Amino acid sequence: MSAKPHVLRSALVTAAIAVTVAACGSSASSSSAPTSSASYNRGQYAVAITQCAIDRGLIPTKDYAADAAAHHWLVNGHIVDNSSFAQWWNANTGVITISGKTLSAWQTQAYSQQHVPEQICGSTAMPTPVAS
Protein backbone atom coordinates (compact mmCIF):
# COMPACT_ATOMS: atom_id res chain seq x y z
CA MET A 1 0.00 0.00 0.00
CA SER A 2 1.57 3.32 -1.03
CA ALA A 3 1.50 6.46 1.11
CA LYS A 4 -0.96 9.17 0.13
CA PRO A 5 0.47 12.58 -0.87
CA HIS A 6 -1.33 14.45 1.95
CA VAL A 7 0.12 12.03 4.53
CA LEU A 8 3.62 12.53 3.12
CA ARG A 9 3.17 16.33 3.05
CA SER A 10 2.03 16.32 6.69
CA ALA A 11 5.05 14.26 7.67
CA LEU A 12 7.37 16.62 5.78
CA VAL A 13 5.86 19.72 7.37
CA THR A 14 6.12 18.05 10.78
CA ALA A 15 9.80 17.37 10.12
CA ALA A 16 10.35 20.98 9.02
CA ILE A 17 8.71 22.24 12.20
CA ALA A 18 10.85 19.90 14.32
CA VAL A 19 13.99 21.28 12.66
CA THR A 20 12.71 24.82 13.18
CA VAL A 21 12.10 24.25 16.87
CA ALA A 22 15.59 22.78 17.22
CA ALA A 23 17.12 25.81 15.53
CA CYS A 24 15.49 28.51 17.63
CA GLY A 25 18.42 30.88 17.14
CA SER A 26 17.60 31.60 13.49
CA SER A 27 17.30 35.29 12.63
CA ALA A 28 14.19 34.45 10.59
CA SER A 29 12.51 33.82 13.96
CA SER A 30 13.12 37.22 15.47
CA SER A 31 9.79 37.45 17.31
CA SER A 32 8.41 35.13 19.90
CA ALA A 33 5.02 33.50 19.51
CA PRO A 34 1.96 34.35 21.57
CA THR A 35 1.69 32.50 24.87
CA SER A 36 -0.64 29.73 23.66
CA SER A 37 1.02 26.32 23.63
CA ALA A 38 -0.34 25.76 20.11
CA SER A 39 1.29 28.92 18.74
CA TYR A 40 4.05 29.18 16.20
CA ASN A 41 6.76 31.81 15.99
CA ARG A 42 7.48 33.95 12.95
CA GLY A 43 10.48 31.81 11.99
CA GLN A 44 8.34 28.68 11.82
CA TYR A 45 5.99 30.50 9.46
CA ALA A 46 8.97 31.63 7.34
CA VAL A 47 9.98 27.98 6.92
CA ALA A 48 6.43 26.73 6.31
CA ILE A 49 5.55 29.44 3.78
CA THR A 50 8.80 29.00 1.88
CA GLN A 51 8.47 25.21 1.88
CA CYS A 52 4.90 25.37 0.57
CA ALA A 53 5.83 27.97 -2.04
CA ILE A 54 8.76 25.88 -3.29
CA ASP A 55 6.65 22.71 -3.29
CA ARG A 56 3.89 24.39 -5.30
CA GLY A 57 6.26 26.19 -7.70
CA LEU A 58 5.26 29.66 -6.46
CA ILE A 59 8.87 30.77 -6.03
CA PRO A 60 10.86 30.42 -9.25
CA THR A 61 13.75 27.98 -8.93
CA LYS A 62 16.16 30.73 -10.06
CA ASP A 63 15.30 32.68 -6.89
CA TYR A 64 16.55 30.02 -4.48
CA ALA A 65 18.30 27.03 -6.10
CA ALA A 66 21.87 28.34 -6.31
CA ASP A 67 21.86 29.76 -2.79
CA ALA A 68 20.17 26.68 -1.33
CA ALA A 69 22.70 24.37 -2.97
CA ALA A 70 25.70 26.49 -2.00
CA HIS A 71 24.60 26.96 1.61
CA HIS A 72 22.79 23.68 2.27
CA TRP A 73 19.47 25.01 3.49
CA LEU A 74 17.42 22.89 1.08
CA VAL A 75 18.21 19.19 1.31
CA ASN A 76 16.29 16.71 -0.86
CA GLY A 77 13.62 19.35 -1.38
CA HIS A 78 13.17 20.10 2.32
CA ILE A 79 14.17 23.29 4.10
CA VAL A 80 16.72 23.05 6.88
CA ASP A 81 16.14 26.03 9.16
CA ASN A 82 19.70 27.10 9.70
CA SER A 83 21.53 30.40 9.59
CA SER A 84 21.94 30.09 5.80
CA PHE A 85 18.17 29.80 5.33
CA ALA A 86 17.71 32.80 7.64
CA GLN A 87 20.17 34.82 5.53
CA TRP A 88 18.32 33.85 2.32
CA TRP A 89 14.99 34.70 3.94
CA ASN A 90 16.21 38.08 5.18
CA ALA A 91 17.63 38.94 1.74
CA ASN A 92 14.48 37.89 -0.13
CA THR A 93 11.54 38.43 2.22
CA GLY A 94 10.75 41.87 0.82
CA VAL A 95 11.73 41.03 -2.75
CA ILE A 96 9.87 37.85 -3.69
CA THR A 97 6.14 38.27 -4.15
CA ILE A 98 3.35 35.72 -4.40
CA SER A 99 -0.09 36.90 -5.49
CA GLY A 100 0.94 40.52 -4.98
CA LYS A 101 2.28 40.12 -1.42
CA THR A 102 5.87 39.84 -0.27
CA LEU A 103 7.02 36.82 1.70
CA SER A 104 7.20 39.15 4.71
CA ALA A 105 3.54 40.13 4.30
CA TRP A 106 2.53 36.46 4.05
CA GLN A 107 4.56 35.68 7.17
CA THR A 108 2.92 38.54 9.09
CA GLN A 109 -0.54 37.37 8.01
CA ALA A 110 0.19 33.76 8.96
CA TYR A 111 1.60 34.78 12.34
CA SER A 112 -1.33 37.05 13.19
CA GLN A 113 -3.87 34.40 12.14
CA GLN A 114 -1.77 31.46 13.43
CA HIS A 115 -2.46 29.59 10.20
CA VAL A 116 -0.55 29.13 6.97
CA PRO A 117 -2.17 31.01 4.07
CA GLU A 118 -4.28 28.79 1.80
CA GLN A 119 -3.11 30.84 -1.22
CA ILE A 120 0.37 29.42 -0.65
CA CYS A 121 -0.10 26.13 1.18
CA GLY A 122 -3.53 25.06 -0.03
CA SER A 123 -5.62 23.38 2.62
CA THR A 124 -2.54 21.96 4.38
CA ALA A 125 -2.66 22.89 8.03
CA MET A 126 0.35 23.41 10.26
CA PRO A 127 0.82 20.36 12.49
CA THR A 128 0.78 20.57 16.26
CA PRO A 129 4.05 22.16 17.40
CA VAL A 130 6.76 19.87 18.65
CA ALA A 131 7.28 20.36 22.38
CA SER A 132 10.64 21.90 23.20
Coordinates of all heavy atoms in Angstrom, one line a residue, residues 75-132:
V75 N 17.6 20.5 1.5 CA 18.2 19.2 1.3 C 17.1 18.2 0.9 O 16.1 18.1 1.6 CB 18.9 18.7 2.6 CG1 19.4 17.3 2.5 CG2 20.0 19.7 3.1
N76 N 17.3 17.6 -0.3 CA 16.3 16.7 -0.9 C 14.9 17.4 -0.9 O 13.9 16.7 -0.6 CB 16.2 15.4 -0.1 CG 17.5 14.6 -0.2 OD1 18.2 14.6 -1.2 ND2 17.9 14.0 0.9
G77 N 14.9 18.6 -1.2 CA 13.6 19.4 -1.4 C 13.0 19.9 -0.1 O 11.9 20.4 -0.1
H78 N 13.7 19.7 1.0 CA 13.2 20.1 2.3 C 14.1 21.2 3.0 O 15.3 21.0 3.0 CB 13.0 18.9 3.2 CG 12.3 17.8 2.6 ND1 10.9 17.9 2.3 CD2 12.7 16.6 2.1 CE1 10.5 16.8 1.7 NE2 11.6 16.0 1.6
I79 N 13.4 22.2 3.5 CA 14.2 23.3 4.1 C 14.8 22.9 5.4 O 14.1 22.2 6.2 CB 13.3 24.5 4.3 CG1 12.9 25.1 3.0 CG2 14.0 25.6 5.2 CD1 11.9 26.2 3.0
V80 N 16.0 23.2 5.6 CA 16.7 23.0 6.9 C 16.8 24.5 7.4 O 17.4 25.3 6.8 CB 18.1 22.5 6.7 CG1 18.9 22.4 8.0 CG2 18.0 21.1 6.0
D81 N 16.2 24.7 8.6 CA 16.1 26.0 9.2 C 17.4 26.3 9.9 O 17.6 26.0 11.1 CB 15.0 26.2 10.1 CG 14.8 27.6 10.6 OD1 15.4 28.5 10.0 OD2 14.1 27.8 11.6
N82 N 18.4 26.8 9.1 CA 19.7 27.1 9.7 C 20.0 28.6 9.4 O 19.2 29.3 8.9 CB 20.8 26.1 9.1 CG 20.8 26.2 7.6 OD1 20.5 27.2 7.0 ND2 21.3 25.1 7.0
S83 N 21.2 29.0 9.8 CA 21.5 30.4 9.6 C 21.6 30.8 8.1 O 21.3 31.9 7.7 CB 22.9 30.7 10.3 OG 23.9 30.0 9.7
S84 N 21.9 29.8 7.2 CA 21.9 30.1 5.8 C 20.5 30.3 5.3 O 20.3 31.2 4.4 CB 22.6 29.0 5.0 OG 24.0 28.9 5.4
F85 N 19.6 29.5 5.7 CA 18.2 29.8 5.3 C 17.7 31.2 5.8 O 17.1 32.0 5.1 CB 17.2 28.7 5.8 CG 15.8 29.1 5.6 CD1 15.2 29.1 4.3 CD2 15.0 29.6 6.6 CE1 13.9 29.5 4.1 CE2 13.7 30.1 6.4 CZ 13.1 30.0 5.1
A86 N 18.1 31.5 7.1 CA 17.7 32.8 7.6 C 18.3 33.9 6.8 O 17.6 34.9 6.6 CB 18.2 32.9 9.1
Q87 N 19.6 33.8 6.4 CA 20.2 34.8 5.5 C 19.4 34.9 4.2 O 19.2 36.1 3.7 CB 21.6 34.5 5.3 CG 22.5 34.7 6.5 CD 23.9 34.2 6.4 OE1 24.3 33.6 5.4 NE2 24.7 34.4 7.4
W88 N 19.1 33.8 3.6 CA 18.3 33.8 2.3 C 17.0 34.5 2.6 O 16.6 35.4 1.8 CB 18.1 32.4 1.8 CG 17.3 32.5 0.5 CD1 17.7 32.6 -0.8 CD2 15.9 32.4 0.4 NE1 16.7 32.7 -1.6 CE2 15.5 32.5 -0.9 CE3 14.8 32.2 1.4 CZ2 14.2 32.5 -1.4 CZ3 13.5 32.2 0.9 CH2 13.2 32.3 -0.5
W89 N 16.3 34.1 3.6 CA 15.0 34.7 3.9 C 15.1 36.2 4.1 O 14.3 37.0 3.5 CB 14.4 34.1 5.2 CG 13.2 34.7 5.7 CD1 13.1 35.7 6.6 CD2 11.8 34.5 5.2 NE1 11.8 36.1 6.8 CE2 11.0 35.4 5.9 CE3 11.3 33.6 4.3 CZ2 9.6 35.4 5.7 CZ3 9.9 33.6 4.1 CH2 9.1 34.5 4.8
N90 N 16.1 36.7 4.9 CA 16.2 38.1 5.2 C 16.5 38.9 3.9 O 16.1 40.0 3.8 CB 17.3 38.3 6.3 CG 16.8 37.8 7.6 OD1 15.6 37.8 7.9 ND2 17.7 37.4 8.5
A91 N 17.3 38.3 3.0 CA 17.6 38.9 1.7 C 16.5 39.0 0.8 O 16.4 39.8 -0.1 CB 18.8 38.3 1.1
N92 N 15.5 38.0 0.9 CA 14.5 37.9 -0.1 C 13.1 38.2 0.4 O 12.1 38.3 -0.4 CB 14.5 36.5 -0.7 CG 15.7 36.3 -1.6 OD1 15.8 36.7 -2.7 ND2 16.8 35.6 -1.0
T93 N 12.9 38.3 1.7 CA 11.5 38.4 2.2 C 10.7 39.6 1.7 O 9.5 39.6 1.5 CB 11.6 38.4 3.8 OG1 10.3 38.4 4.3 CG2 12.3 39.7 4.3
G94 N 11.4 40.7 1.4 CA 10.7 41.9 0.8 C 10.8 42.0 -0.7 O 10.3 42.9 -1.3
V95 N 11.5 41.0 -1.3 CA 11.7 41.0 -2.8 C 10.8 40.1 -3.5 O 10.2 40.4 -4.5 CB 13.2 40.7 -3.1 CG1 13.5 40.6 -4.6 CG2 14.2 41.6 -2.4
I96 N 10.7 38.9 -3.0 CA 9.9 37.8 -3.7 C 8.4 38.1 -3.3 O 8.1 38.2 -2.2 CB 10.3 36.4 -3.3 CG1 11.7 36.2 -3.8 CG2 9.4 35.4 -3.8 CD1 12.4 34.9 -3.4
T97 N 7.6 38.1 -4.4 CA 6.1 38.3 -4.1 C 5.4 37.1 -4.7 O 5.8 36.4 -5.7 CB 5.6 39.5 -4.8 OG1 5.8 39.5 -6.2 CG2 6.3 40.8 -4.3
I98 N 4.3 36.8 -4.0 CA 3.4 35.7 -4.4 C 2.0 36.3 -4.3 O 1.6 36.9 -3.3 CB 3.5 34.5 -3.5 CG1 4.9 33.9 -3.5 CG2 2.4 33.5 -3.9 CD1 5.1 32.8 -2.5
S99 N 1.3 36.3 -5.4 CA -0.1 36.9 -5.5 C -0.1 38.3 -5.0 O -1.0 38.7 -4.2 CB -1.1 36.0 -4.7 OG -1.2 34.8 -5.3
G100 N 0.9 39.1 -5.3 CA 0.9 40.5 -5.0 C 1.4 40.9 -3.6 O 1.5 42.0 -3.2
K101 N 1.8 39.9 -2.8 CA 2.3 40.1 -1.4 C 3.7 39.6 -1.3 O 4.0 38.6 -1.8 CB 1.4 39.4 -0.4 CG 0.1 40.0 -0.1 CD -0.6 39.2 1.0 CE -2.0 39.6 1.3 NZ -2.6 38.8 2.4
T102 N 4.5 40.3 -0.5 CA 5.9 39.8 -0.3 C 5.8 38.7 0.7 O 4.8 38.4 1.4 CB 6.7 40.9 0.4 OG1 6.2 41.3 1.6 CG2 6.8 42.2 -0.5
L103 N 6.9 37.9 0.7 CA 7.0 36.8 1.7 C 6.8 37.3 3.1 O 6.2 36.7 4.0 CB 8.4 36.1 1.6 CG 8.6 35.3 0.3 CD1 10.1 34.8 0.3 CD2 7.7 34.2 0.2
S104 N 7.4 38.5 3.4 CA 7.2 39.1 4.7 C 5.7 39.4 5.0 O 5.3 39.1 6.2 CB 8.0 40.5 4.8 OG 7.8 41.1 6.0
A105 N 5.0 39.9 4.1 CA 3.5 40.1 4.3 C 2.8 38.8 4.6 O 1.9 38.8 5.4 CB 2.9 40.9 3.1
W106 N 3.2 37.8 3.8 CA 2.5 36.5 4.0 C 2.9 35.9 5.4 O 2.0 35.4 6.1 CB 3.0 35.5 3.0 CG 2.3 35.7 1.7 CD1 2.9 36.0 0.5 CD2 0.9 35.6 1.3 NE1 2.0 36.1 -0.5 CE2 0.8 35.8 0.0 CE3 -0.2 35.2 2.1 CZ2 -0.5 35.8 -0.7 CZ3 -1.4 35.2 1.4 CH2 -1.6 35.5 0.1
Q107 N 4.1 36.1 5.8 CA 4.6 35.7 7.2 C 3.8 36.4 8.3 O 3.3 35.8 9.2 CB 6.1 35.9 7.3 CG 6.6 35.5 8.7 CD 8.0 36.0 9.0 OE1 8.3 37.1 8.6 NE2 8.8 35.2 9.7
T108 N 3.6 37.7 8.1 CA 2.9 38.5 9.1 C 1.5 38.1 9.2 O 0.9 37.9 10.3 CB 3.0 40.0 8.7 OG1 4.4 40.4 8.8 CG2 2.2 40.9 9.7
Q109 N 0.8 37.8 8.0 CA -0.5 37.4 8.0 C -0.7 36.0 8.7 O -1.5 35.8 9.5 CB -1.0 37.3 6.6 CG -2.4 36.7 6.5 CD -2.9 36.4 5.0 OE1 -2.6 37.3 4.2 NE2 -3.6 35.3 4.8
A110 N 0.2 35.1 8.4 CA 0.2 33.8 9.0 C 0.4 33.8 10.5 O -0.3 33.2 11.2 CB 1.3 32.9 8.3
Y111 N 1.3 34.6 10.9 CA 1.6 34.8 12.3 C 0.4 35.4 13.1 O 0.0 34.9 14.1 CB 2.9 35.6 12.5 CG 3.2 35.8 14.0 CD1 3.7 34.8 14.7 CD2 3.1 37.1 14.6 CE1 4.1 34.9 16.1 CE2 3.4 37.2 15.9 CZ 3.9 36.2 16.7 OH 4.3 36.3 18.0
S112 N -0.2 36.4 12.5 CA -1.3 37.1 13.2 C -2.6 36.1 13.2 O -3.3 36.2 14.2 CB -1.7 38.4 12.5 OG -2.2 38.2 11.2
Q113 N -2.7 35.3 12.2 CA -3.9 34.4 12.1 C -3.5 33.0 12.7 O -4.4 32.2 12.9 CB -4.4 34.3 10.7 CG -4.9 35.6 10.1 CD -5.3 35.5 8.7 OE1 -5.1 34.4 8.0 NE2 -5.8 36.5 8.2
Q114 N -2.2 32.8 13.0 CA -1.8 31.5 13.4 C -2.2 30.3 12.5 O -2.7 29.3 13.0 CB -2.2 31.2 14.9 CG -1.4 32.0 15.9 CD 0.1 31.6 15.9 OE1 0.4 30.5 16.3 NE2 1.0 32.5 15.6
H115 N -2.1 30.6 11.2 CA -2.5 29.6 10.2 C -1.7 29.9 8.9 O -1.6 31.1 8.5 CB -4.0 29.6 10.0 CG -4.5 28.5 9.1 ND1 -4.5 28.5 7.8 CD2 -5.0 27.3 9.5 CE1 -4.9 27.4 7.3 NE2 -5.3 26.6 8.3
V116 N -1.2 28.9 8.2 CA -0.5 29.1 7.0 C -1.6 29.6 5.9 O -2.7 29.1 6.0 CB 0.2 27.9 6.5 CG1 1.4 27.6 7.3 CG2 -0.7 26.7 6.4
P117 N -1.2 30.5 5.1 CA -2.2 31.0 4.1 C -2.5 29.9 3.0 O -1.6 29.3 2.4 CB -1.5 32.2 3.4 CG 0.0 32.0 3.8 CD 0.1 31.2 5.0
E118 N -3.8 29.8 2.8 CA -4.3 28.8 1.8 C -3.8 29.1 0.4 O -3.6 28.3 -0.4 CB -5.8 28.7 1.8 CG -6.3 27.9 3.0 CD -7.8 27.6 3.0 OE1 -8.3 27.5 1.9 OE2 -8.4 27.4 4.0
Q119 N -3.6 30.4 0.1 CA -3.1 30.8 -1.2 C -1.7 30.3 -1.5 O -1.3 30.1 -2.7 CB -3.1 32.4 -1.3 CG -4.4 33.0 -1.2 CD -4.7 33.5 0.2 OE1 -4.3 32.8 1.2 NE2 -5.4 34.6 0.4
I120 N -1.0 30.0 -0.5 CA 0.4 29.4 -0.6 C 0.4 27.9 -0.3 O 1.0 27.2 -1.1 CB 1.4 30.2 0.2 CG1 1.5 31.6 -0.2 CG2 2.8 29.5 0.2 CD1 2.3 32.5 0.6
C121 N -0.2 27.5 0.7 CA -0.1 26.1 1.2 C -1.3 25.3 0.9 O -1.4 24.1 1.3 CB 0.2 26.1 2.7 SG 1.8 26.8 3.1
G122 N -2.3 25.8 0.2 CA -3.5 25.1 0.0 C -4.2 24.8 1.3 O -4.2 25.6 2.2
S123 N -4.9 23.7 1.4 CA -5.6 23.4 2.6 C -4.8 22.7 3.7 O -5.3 22.3 4.7 CB -6.8 22.5 2.3 OG -6.4 21.3 1.7
T124 N -3.5 22.6 3.4 CA -2.5 22.0 4.4 C -2.5 22.8 5.6 O -2.3 24.0 5.6 CB -1.1 21.9 3.8 OG1 -1.2 21.1 2.6 CG2 -0.2 21.2 4.8
A125 N -2.7 22.2 6.8 CA -2.7 22.9 8.0 C -1.3 22.6 8.7 O -0.7 21.6 8.5 CB -3.8 22.4 9.0
M126 N -0.9 23.6 9.5 CA 0.4 23.4 10.3 C 0.1 22.3 11.3 O -1.0 22.3 11.9 CB 0.7 24.7 11.0 CG 1.1 25.8 10.1 SD 2.9 25.9 9.7 CE 3.6 26.4 11.2
P127 N 1.0 21.4 11.5 CA 0.8 20.4 12.5 C 1.0 20.9 13.9 O 1.4 22.1 14.1 CB 2.0 19.4 12.2 CG 3.0 20.2 11.6 CD 2.3 21.3 10.8
T128 N 0.6 20.2 14.9 CA 0.8 20.6 16.3 C 2.3 20.8 16.5 O 3.1 20.0 16.1 CB 0.2 19.5 17.2 OG1 -1.1 19.3 16.9 CG2 0.4 19.9 18.7
P129 N 2.6 21.9 17.2 CA 4.0 22.2 17.4 C 4.7 21.0 18.2 O 4.1 20.4 19.0 CB 4.0 23.5 18.2 CG 2.7 24.0 18.0 CD 1.8 22.9 17.7
V130 N 6.0 20.8 17.9 CA 6.8 19.9 18.6 C 7.1 20.5 20.0 O 7.6 21.7 20.0 CB 8.0 19.5 17.9 CG1 8.9 18.6 18.7 CG2 7.7 18.9 16.5
A131 N 6.9 19.8 21.1 CA 7.3 20.4 22.4 C 8.8 20.5 22.5 O 9.5 19.7 22.0 CB 6.8 19.4 23.5
S132 N 9.2 21.7 23.1 CA 10.6 21.9 23.2 C 11.1 21.5 24.6 O 10.4 21.3 25.5 CB 11.0 23.3 22.9 OG 10.2 24.2 23.7

